[in-house]
Amino acid sequence: MKNTHQPDPSGEPTPPAWADRLIALFCPPDLGEELLGDLHEQFAEQVAERGVSKARWLYVLEVLRFCRPYFLKRRVAELSRTPNPGNSPFSQKPYSEPSFLHPAMLRNYLKIALRTLWKSKGYAAVNALGLAVAFSVCTFLFLTAYLQLTYDSFHTDGDRIYQPYTVANDPEKTVRSGNMALPFTPALKTAYPEVKQAARILTGRKSLVEVRGAYFDKLVLHTDPDFLQLFSFPLLKGNRDVALNSLSSVVISESMAQTVFGTTDPMGQTVLIGSGENQKPYVVSGIIEDAPGNSTIQYDALIRIENAPNYQATKTDWNGTSHSVFIKLAPQVEQATFEERLKPFALKYFGSTITDLQKKGAQPDQRGDVFAIRLQALSHVHFDREITGGRGAPIAIVYTLLGLAFFILLIACINFINLSIARSFTRAREVGVRKSLGALKGQLFAQVWGESTVLCLVGFLLGVLLAYGLLPQFNAAFDARLRLETMLQPSFIACILSVFAVVTLLAGGYPAWQMTKFNTVEVLKGKVSLKRPGVLRNALIVTQFSLSCLLACCTLIASQQVDFLRSRPLGFQKEQVISIPVGNQADGRQVLGRLRNKLANDPSVLAITGTSVNIGRGQDRVSSRTTVGYKYKGKDVLTDWLLVDYDYLQTLNIKPLAGRDFSRLYATDSVNRIIVTASMAKMMGEKNAVGALLGDDDDTTGSKMQVIGIIPDFQLYSLASENRPITLHLSNSEAIHYIFVRVSPQSLAGSMDKLKLLWREVAPQSEFMGTFLDDNVNAWYQDEERFTQICSLAAGIAILLSCVGLFAIALMMIEQRTKEIGIRKVMGASVSSIILVLSRDFVKLVLIALLIALPLAWFGMNLWLDNYRERVTISLWLLGGVGLGAVLIALATVSFQTVKAALANPVKSLRSE
């Protein structure tokens, strides 16, 4: 056994050496030397009384008693930095200053930080709440932007999937369209082998689905078999390669399977899709997972596009456009290269269109094309509202949301810095005392930064809790589908930690560094001032108010645009009209007839009609559009095709400009008679279009339609959509999907309840979803209104945080100028003059902020307004009002401190310390 002690040269017994080293490890030097001496004396006594062996065991026990956790203290500095001579374990190496990142030091910093924050509860509460509000708002904005930016990002090989669209450089306006003709996709696949998969997607209103006598309204997509290979929506049951090979097969979503079949296995079951003559049985051949919320393509069921109504009659028609197309290119095929290869294809199948454009004087674009077929990457489809027919979100709005989040976070950081600097003057003597006692700059920095980190962490946690609590209200107010679970994704967590680290470093680092620069002697004398700190301080104020004014201007201009869109003349009277979706479970013509009979003698009902297209957005959220093109006397005529019933013009209070309305007195009105808008008559090139026959020039079947009336242009779709001429026609066979009822103003209040009760009699199998037409029209601009609401929320928070920051700066400035104010008062200065002196510096900074913010707001909002065909003009009075409001808010913010300082007793200000 190895000897654990060394004999003394004098022959006296000694205690175990390892026990002495253990004492040296646990005890500070000043305590260890004294303790070791006492233990050695006790050991000598034990040797004399009990013997060497037993004395050594007792010595070890005594050592172990002192080896307790509370002895793990920071080693205090010795008066002498030189090592002690001798063989003591406490003199083996010179003393070294412990690192400020030592665990003991960090615990000490944390304790001091918590005590300091608890002592200054008001300051901590303001900062924590400001950061909490900023973090919660930024969470909502980041999640909203993240949801938009990740649209369609889940598809395998998504970088190879594109949506083809056409570009026509018409002299009046360049037109981009994502709607394609039915023969386009088969011809494209035949001509280009690099197109590995291609799928047509025809969608519209929901279809009626019948299973065992139960009826359901479901969104049924008509598509091609390639759909399942093109997109990577998971197929839960069935074979992806053959699930849509049969024209009688249907693939249903997981949610539809649960709703329609319950616990029964749907595979092989029969469902009936459609209504009336178009109803057809289908066999379930697969179950597909529900499309996620961030998918451009939504569905309840998939069937072959050959089952679409009128498919056989239009499958070779290159003039009609009804659906969108998606293709997947072979690997290594570049988008630009394939678009160049599509030029011969466009010339072959769209030659007449190119010729007509050239006759109009169309000029080639940068690629030399008058008409071209281009590709839009799948990742960008959601942001291209033009080729998607107004669906999706403009990418500018997404960037705006990210910008708002960044601005609010930046303002919160600036606010934090201002408050911290303002408070640093009250802690100057604390810093001076610490520095005089030997505290290093690094230690002071770590301490103050630690306080900021704790405060930022508290603000962040409060912000997350606030976001969690307000998430349902936010989703309801902005019709969003946000989930906090998204924040648990690794990429999102990394982003959050990065943002938190930057905010902590920015908001806490600068004030901590500034406080460590205080001169010890000066601060102990009470002389604390930052020599000309104006560059950074003023820059922070200017930045805050620039961002706040910018957001305020954007909010007001966006609100003006929304009000302008809602107040624009629509060409019809939207008030007093109730719109009722018929649904798929009832025959619209039968319901319309029954309703007419029930209301025939009701004096409160002024008119009633039916149509295929709703105006605005009703409760069914369905919007459909049918466009028809003709070659009329050598001219291309493109028109919106609208099915209406008798009394349509009367119900909407539209007066004919020429000709007449549809009438039951003329039987041919429901066969081949049409009414056109004024722009349609102008497009036809007729001075008096009444009596003209509309149809293709080469049509010899006698199916051309005669114009019997001309009406003013009216707004059938949103102003954000492309405006086209409208053609109205009657039909005894086409489905009526909506019923319009005009009621008298006196019975407006109870008319909706009356119709709801009556609906149970005329359409008991269909849910009543009536809405007023003016509400439907207002819903056109919900996206703009939500954008305005978000901007308003952001602007309000930004202004509030800026005012808090400005208040902190005012407090700091007045504390620094206390004696100056006292001297001015002693020299006879009035209270008003002192208030003016103290306030004018802040007003100057706000004016500089306005000079920066107002031009930026004017330029940026002009770019945003250019997306609308009809827009407001930005008023200089509005910008001036924002500027005046900013100055008044700044004066109101600093007025409390300035008035208090001006009214203070100068004797107290000048009293020697």
Side-chain angles (χ1 to χ4, degrees):
M1 180 176 178
K2 185 177 178 180
N3 188 14
T4 58
H5 62 88
Q6 297 177 357
D8 189 90
S10 63
E12 295 293 331
T14 58
W18 64 268
D20 290 349
R21 288 195 294 270
L22 189 62
I23 286 289
L25 178 65
F26 272 82
C27 296
D30 58 334
L31 178 62
E33 292 284 359
E34 182 179 356
L35 179 61
L36 200 60
D38 293 340
L39 288 175
H40 278 221
E41 289 180 7
Q42 186 178 3
F43 173 77
E45 294 175 0
Q46 294 290 348
V47 168
E49 293 179 6
R50 305 191 181 187
V52 177
S53 179
K54 195 168 185 178
R56 288 195 179 111
W57 281 107
L58 293 174
Y59 185 89
V60 170
L61 290 176
E62 289 296 329
V63 168
L64 293 178
R65 287 180 186 177
F66 286 98
C67 296
R68 296 177 182 177
Y70 58 78
F71 279 107
L72 290 172
K73 302 291 185 180
R74 189 178 78 136
R75 296 175 181 268
V76 297
E78 297 177 315
L79 294 177
S80 174
R81 295 289 179 175
T82 59
N84 293 328
N87 296 324
S88 170
F90 299 96
S91 60
Q92 293 176 1
K93 58 181 180 179
Y95 169 75
S96 60
E97 188 74 27
S99 169
F100 65 86
L101 294 180
H102 190 278
M105 295 292 288
L106 293 178
R107 284 195 299 272
N108 185 48
Y109 295 150
L110 180 60
K111 288 180 182 179
I112 295 175
L114 293 176
R115 290 171 183 169
T116 304
L117 294 176
W118 180 254
K119 183 179 178 181
S120 306
K121 292 185 285 291
Y123 155 80
V126 170
N127 259 336
L129 289 177
L131 288 173
V133 172
F135 277 129
S136 63
V137 172
C138 289
T139 297
F140 291 139
L141 296 178
F142 277 131
L143 286 175
T144 303
Y146 181 81
L147 178 66
Q148 298 294 327
L149 291 174
T150 56
Y151 252 78
D152 302 313
S153 61
F154 52 88
H155 291 292
T156 305
D157 300 328
D159 57 334
R160 293 164 46 200
I161 300 176
Y162 301 90
Q163 179 181 358
Y165 65 94
T166 59
V167 180
N169 294 309
D170 191 276
E172 296 181 0
K173 179 186 177 183
T174 299
V175 179
R176 301 165 68 247
S177 175
N179 290 331
M180 294 296 177
L182 285 173
F184 174 85
T185 301
L188 189 70
K189 285 193 69 176
T190 302
Y192 297 97
E194 55 263 53
V195 178
K196 293 304 179 183
Q197 285 97 28
R200 296 167 287 185
I201 298 178
L202 177 61
T203 185
R205 66 185 72 254
K206 292 184 176 181
S207 301
L208 182 65
V209 176
E210 180 182 354
V211 178
R212 301 170 186 171
Y215 296 90
F216 308 89
D217 288 332
K218 297 297 179 181
L219 181 60
V220 180
L221 293 191
H222 294 76
T223 187
D224 291 300
D226 278 358
F227 181 94
L228 298 175
Q229 286 80 35
L230 180 65
F231 300 106
S232 55
F233 297 109
L235 195 66
L236 305 179
K237 289 186 178 181
N239 189 331
R240 186 179 292 273
D241 297 327
V242 299
L244 286 176
N245 281 359
S246 172
L247 294 180
S248 59
S249 295
V250 60
V251 176
I252 64 175
S253 67
E254 184 179 13
S255 60
M256 178 175 170
Q258 295 173 353
T259 302
V260 175
F261 293 99
T263 57
T264 305
D265 186 3
M267 296 296 292
Q269 300 289 331
T270 301
V271 298
L272 299 175
I273 298 178
S275 58
E277 298 178 355
N278 294 323
Q279 191 179 61
K280 180 181 175 181
Y282 295 86
V283 177
V284 178
S285 60
I287 300 177
I288 192 170
E289 191 173 287
D290 293 346
N294 60 343
S295 173
T296 300
I297 301 170
Q298 298 291 328
Y299 53 77
D300 289 318
L302 309 173
I303 60 176
R304 290 282 293 270
I305 197 170
E306 290 85 350
N307 295 302
N310 301 322
Y311 176 83
Q312 295 301 323
T314 57
K315 66 179 181 180
T316 59
D317 182 12
W318 283 88
N319 293 321
T321 57
S322 58
H323 63 282
S324 57
V325 176
F326 288 89
I327 64 173
K328 181 189 286 188
L329 297 180
Q332 310 305 323
V333 177
E334 297 292 336
Q335 176 183 347
T337 304
F338 187 73
E339 287 178 345
E340 191 68 22
R341 291 200 60 204
L342 286 174
K343 288 187 176 182
F345 184 88
L347 187 61
K348 178 179 179 180
Y349 293 104
F350 298 92
S352 59
T353 303
I354 296 174
T355 302
D356 293 338
L357 288 171
Q358 290 173 340
K359 289 180 180 179
K360 289 182 180 181
Q363 297 297 319
D365 58 15
Q366 295 179 349
R367 301 191 191 181
D369 298 320
V370 172
F371 178 91
I373 301 172
R374 302 277 166 77
L375 303 179
Q376 182 62 280
L378 179 63
S379 58
H380 295 158
V381 167
H382 175 66
F383 305 109
D384 197 331
R385 301 189 74 181
E386 189 173 359
I387 71 170
T388 58
R391 299 188 301 272
I395 190 66
I397 290 184
V398 179
Y399 290 147
T400 301
L401 293 178
L402 292 175
L404 289 175
F406 173 76
F407 288 164
I408 291 177
L409 206 55
L410 180 60
I411 290 175
C413 291
I414 293 174
N415 178 41
F416 192 103
I417 292 172
N418 289 341
L419 285 172
S420 298
I421 294 177
R423 183 170 169 269
S424 66
F425 292 95
T426 64
R427 300 185 61 187
R429 287 183 177 171
E430 174 194 342
V431 174
V433 171
R434 289 183 180 275
K435 295 185 75 172
S436 66
L437 292 177
L440 302 178
K441 281 189 176 182
Q443 294 171 331
L444 288 173
F445 180 86
Q447 177 194 330
V448 180
W449 190 30
E451 294 175 13
S452 301
T453 302
V454 171
L455 205 52
C456 288
L457 182 60
V458 172
F460 175 75
L461 295 178
L462 287 176
V464 172
L465 292 176
L466 192 63
Y468 178 79
L470 296 178
L471 185 62
Q473 290 79 1
F474 184 88
N475 284 337
F478 298 105
D479 193 23
R481 301 183 301 276
L482 304 183
R483 297 184 306 166
L484 286 181
E485 291 82 357
T486 306
M487 299 175 63
L488 300 179
Q489 298 181 10
S491 58
F492 217 97
I493 292 176
C495 180
I496 291 174
L497 293 178
S498 300
V499 170
F500 178 76
V502 171
V503 169
T504 305
L505 183 63
L506 179 64
Y510 175 77
W513 173 71
Q514 196 68 38
M515 289 179 66
T516 60
K517 297 197 307 180
F518 286 161
N519 184 280
T520 305
V521 177
E522 295 294 325
V523 297
L524 291 177
K525 290 181 179 180
K527 300 177 180 179
V528 184
S529 64
L530 298 176
K531 301 297 183 181
R532 287 290 178 182
V535 175
L536 179 63
R537 182 198 65 209
N538 294 344
L540 294 179
I541 295 177
V542 170
T543 302
Q544 280 186 314
F545 272 88
S546 295
L547 297 177
S548 301
C549 294
L550 179 63
L551 293 177
C553 289
C554 293
T555 299
L556 294 176
I557 294 172
S559 299
Q560 278 193 340
Q561 176 65 15
V562 173
D563 293 339
F564 172 78
L565 293 175
R566 288 179 172 174
S567 62
R568 291 292 297 163
L570 300 173
F572 62 89
Q573 187 177 349
K574 62 180 180 179
E575 292 77 17
Q576 304 166 222
V577 178
I578 297 175
S579 168
I580 311 173
V582 177
N584 293 310
Q585 302 183 31
D587 186 297
R589 292 193 175 277
Q590 292 181 2
V591 174
L592 178 61
R594 296 169 190 164
L595 204 58
R596 275 186 170 136
N597 293 333
K598 294 284 185 179
L599 299 174
N601 299 320
D602 192 333
S604 64
V605 177
L606 304 181
I608 182 172
T609 189
T611 179
S612 61
V613 178
N614 199 3
I615 297 180
R617 296 180 184 175
Q619 286 192 25
D620 62 344
R621 316 303 294 173
V622 174
S623 178
S624 60
R625 189 170 192 172
T626 303
T627 304
V628 177
Y630 292 105
K631 180 73 70 173
Y632 180 80
K633 294 184 179 180
K635 299 178 181 179
D636 285 327
V637 176
L638 192 66
T639 176
D640 284 328
W641 196 249
L642 177 63
L643 170 69
V644 300
D645 200 69
Y646 296 106
D647 303 324
Y648 186 84
L649 300 184
Q650 180 185 354
T651 304
L652 296 182
N653 199 16
I654 300 175
K655 307 297 183 183
L657 298 175
R660 61 177 177 84
D661 191 2
F662 294 116
S663 174
R664 296 177 178 83
L665 300 177
Y666 300 89
T668 55
D669 278 5
S670 61
V671 181
N672 57 0
R673 299 292 186 268
I674 57 175
I675 296 175
V676 299
T677 57
S679 58
M680 180 65 180
K682 181 180 179 181
M683 184 179 290
M684 293 170 64
E686 300 285 351
K687 292 183 179 180
N688 186 4
V690 176
L693 297 177
L694 181 63
D696 284 323
D697 292 339
D698 55 356
D699 186 1
T700 58
T701 61
S703 60
K704 292 184 178 182
M705 298 189 174
Q706 186 178 35
V707 178
I708 63 170
I710 302 174
I711 59 175
D713 289 312
F714 67 96
Q715 203 69 42
L716 185 60
Y717 299 99
S718 163
L719 286 173
S721 304
E722 181 184 356
N723 192 26
R724 297 193 187 108
I726 303 172
T727 300
L728 285 65
H729 74 286
L730 282 175
S731 173
N732 290 326
S733 58
E734 295 182 45
I736 295 291
H737 296 293
Y738 298 92
I739 295 175
F740 293 165
V741 181
R742 174 171 289 280
V743 297
S744 61
Q746 295 78 13
S747 61
L748 196 61
S751 57
M752 187 69 74
D753 295 333
K754 180 192 297 184
L755 284 173
K756 187 174 183 179
L757 292 174
L758 193 59
W759 192 259
R760 297 176 184 175
E761 300 179 24
V762 300
Q765 69 275 43
S766 181
E767 180 186 1
F768 180 79
M769 295 187 291
T771 53
F772 284 101
L773 205 59
D774 49 357
D775 292 333
N776 291 3
V777 171
N778 290 337
W780 267 338
Y781 310 108
Q782 281 183 344
D783 292 339
E784 288 79 4
E785 187 173 5
R786 288 174 194 149
F787 174 70
T788 302
Q789 291 173 345
I790 291 175
C791 284
S792 301
L793 177 65
I797 292 173
I799 292 172
L800 178 62
L801 294 176
S802 298
C803 290
V804 173
L806 188 62
F807 182 85
I809 291 293
L811 177 63
M812 179 181 69
M813 291 290 295
I814 291 171
E815 284 184 355
Q816 287 183 277
R817 301 175 68 177
T818 301
K819 290 190 176 181
E820 175 192 341
I821 296 170
I823 294 173
R824 287 180 179 273
K825 292 195 70 175
V826 170
M827 298 299 293
S830 64
V831 173
S832 58
S833 64
I834 292 176
I835 294 175
L836 178 62
V837 169
L838 295 176
S839 301
R840 66 185 179 188
D841 292 336
F842 298 107
V843 174
K844 289 178 183 178
L845 297 178
V846 174
L847 292 176
I848 294 174
L850 291 174
L851 291 177
I852 297 173
L854 297 184
L856 287 177
W858 182 87
F859 178 76
M861 293 308 292
N862 268 314
L863 292 178
W864 181 70
L865 291 171
D866 287 340
N867 294 321
Y868 296 90
R869 290 186 291 108
E870 299 185 38
R871 45 159 289 182
V872 297
T873 301
I874 299 178
S875 171
L876 295 179
W877 289 105
L878 183 144
L879 300 180
V882 172
L884 179 61
V887 173
L888 293 177
I889 289 174
L891 287 174
T893 301
V894 302
S895 61
F896 175 77
Q897 288 297 329
T898 53
V899 172
K900 181 180 177 181
L903 294 175
N905 188 345
V907 176
K908 293 183 179 180
S909 302
L910 297 174
R911 181 178 297 163
S912 174
E913 300 180 2

